[in-house]
């Protein structure tokens, strides 16, 4: 026969079961906590770049890309259609003013120039011939004028004689009339000859001026041809470095094609490009900071292209220290163009995390942990970024690249 279990025994058994359950749940929780602590990422403070939020001035800038180029660079083009026959210098050589760099085939050009010299001499002789011919014609007409004047004077004397004889009764009225008519005809003929002389004189002067002008124009063309021929002797225009030369002997070169470049590699400038959306924030005279590694160089925007090309505006920066040791032709740089100043603003250090105004998720130091926080950032320069919201003065913010932890909201940190 079964006996009823006492209540005291039942209570003990129930307590033991409850204790086992509690211990099991606690052990499971401890196990989960242990596993979580093991899997949680721990970062070392020394491996992080941390910036402390402070207050100060931000000289607002817009960033642009830049390239170091020689402060002076001259492209030498072929002045004629020709071919390369000799190379005297190679790229990288130093050249002085007038140093020959290469030789073009000038035989055709020299033949053409000699032909023009002969033509110039012919035109000069033609001018002299015209001058002599005109002078001979004018001399002949001047002689005729003298004869005509003498004839008019003779007829004037005859008229006076006839009038005198008529007054004595020894002449007749008809003879006086005849003498007067002959005299007046002579005067008219003289006036006509004098006018012809003046017209011929003016015409001769005009013809000479036309011929002299033609000769002058031809001589200018000849001088230009001579200069072109001299330029075809491809010499350096100044003391510089030959950075490029067409060294293909026998290669045909067209008039205007590039055959050499000389550059001053002791002084440099920056050619920059910036998105045209920032076109209103850059102007000639704007201060700039050029970053080359850890070096910072100051400069001034000297030129800006008036039109946008492929969404960018080009500009040139003149450097205060144009011969700095870190400058190398073709070197890529970061360019910061200053355009405003903001006083007494919260700020943190600028780094690769900053991509422009807007909201960011940054890790903030909280004891031995890093907590993700939404932060609103504003304007910037190459050193600082303006903090608009989400941070307080004195907060410490991680500005390292945290893209590997973007899915996490908190991280452990130790020293």
């Amino acid at each position: 026969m079964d006996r009823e279990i006492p209540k005291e025994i039942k209570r003990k058994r129930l307590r033991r079961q409850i204790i086992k359950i509690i211990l099991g749940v606690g052990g499971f929780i401890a196990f989960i906590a242990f596993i979580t602590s093991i899997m949680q990422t721990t970062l070392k403070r020394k491996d992080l770049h941390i910036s402390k939020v402070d207050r100060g001035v931000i000289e607002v800038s817009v960033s642009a890309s830049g390239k170091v180029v020689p402060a002076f660079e001259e492209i030498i083009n072929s002045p004629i259609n020709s071919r390369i026959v000799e190379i005297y210098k190679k790229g990288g050589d130093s050249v002085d003013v007038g140093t020959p760099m290469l030789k073009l085939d000038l035989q055709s050009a020299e033949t053409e120039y000699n032909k023009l010299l002969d033509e110039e001499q012919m035109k000069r002789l033609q001018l002299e011939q015209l001058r002599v011919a005109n002078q001979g014609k004018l001399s002949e007409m001047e002689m005729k004028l003298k004869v005509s004047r003498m004839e008019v004077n003779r007829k004037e004397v005859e008229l006076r004689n006839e009038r005198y004889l008529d007054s004595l009764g020894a002449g007749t009225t008809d003879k006086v009339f005849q003498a007067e008519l002959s005299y007046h005809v002579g005067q008219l003929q003289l006036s006509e000859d004098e006018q012809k002389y003046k017209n011929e004189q003016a015409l001769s002067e005009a013809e000479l001026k036309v011929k002299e002008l033609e000769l002058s124009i031809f001589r200018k063309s000849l001088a230009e041809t001579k200069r072109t021929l001299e330029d075809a002797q491809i010499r350096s225009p100044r003391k510089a470095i030959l950075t490029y030369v067409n060294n293909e002997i026998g290669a045909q070169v067209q008039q205007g094609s590039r055959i050499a470049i000389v550059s001053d590699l002791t002084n440099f400038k920056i050619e920059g490009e910036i998105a045209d959306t920032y076109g209103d924030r850059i102007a000639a005279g704007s201060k700039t900071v050029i970053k080359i590694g850890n070096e910072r160089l100051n400069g001034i925007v000297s030129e800006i292209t008036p039109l946008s090309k492929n969404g960018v505006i080009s500009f040139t920066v003149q450097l205060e220290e144009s011969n700095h040791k870190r400058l190398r032709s073709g070197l890529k740089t970061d360019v910061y163009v200053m355009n405003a100043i903001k006083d007494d603003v919260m700020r943190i250090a600028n780094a690769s995390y900053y991509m422009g105004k807007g909201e960011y998720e940054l890790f903030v130091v909280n004891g031995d942990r890093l907590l993700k926080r939404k932060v609103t950032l504003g304007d910037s320069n190459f050193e600082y970024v303006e903090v608009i919201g989400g941070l307080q003065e004195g907060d410490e913010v991680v500005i390292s690249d945290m893209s590997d932890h973007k899915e996490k909201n908190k991280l452990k940190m130790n020293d």
Side-chain angles (χ1 to χ4, degrees), residues 290-335:
I290 313 300
K291 288 191 69 177
I292 304 176
N294 294 325
E295 297 282 352
R296 296 176 185 173
L297 304 178
N298 296 321
I300 297 291
V301 175
S302 59
E303 294 180 45
I304 303 175
T305 55
L307 297 177
S308 169
K309 184 178 181 181
N310 297 326
V312 297
I313 294 174
S314 300
F315 61 95
T316 302
V317 177
Q318 297 296 332
L319 298 170
E320 290 182 2
E321 196 176 353
S322 61
N323 59 350
H324 192 276
K325 62 183 180 180
R326 290 293 302 275
L327 294 172
R328 295 290 184 276
S329 182
L331 186 67
K332 301 293 184 181
T333 66
D334 294 321
V335 182

Side-chain angles (χ1 to χ4, degrees), residues 6 27 42 78 82 98 104 111 145 152 186 197 201 226 234 247 298 300 315 359 373 407:
T42 301
S78 175
S82 184
L104 298 178
T111 300
L145 276 177
V152 169
Y197 178 78
Q201 195 175 36
K226 182 180 179 181
I234 315 302
N247 57 5
N298 296 321
I300 297 291
F315 61 95
E359 285 193 347
R373 190 184 299 178
E407 302 299 330

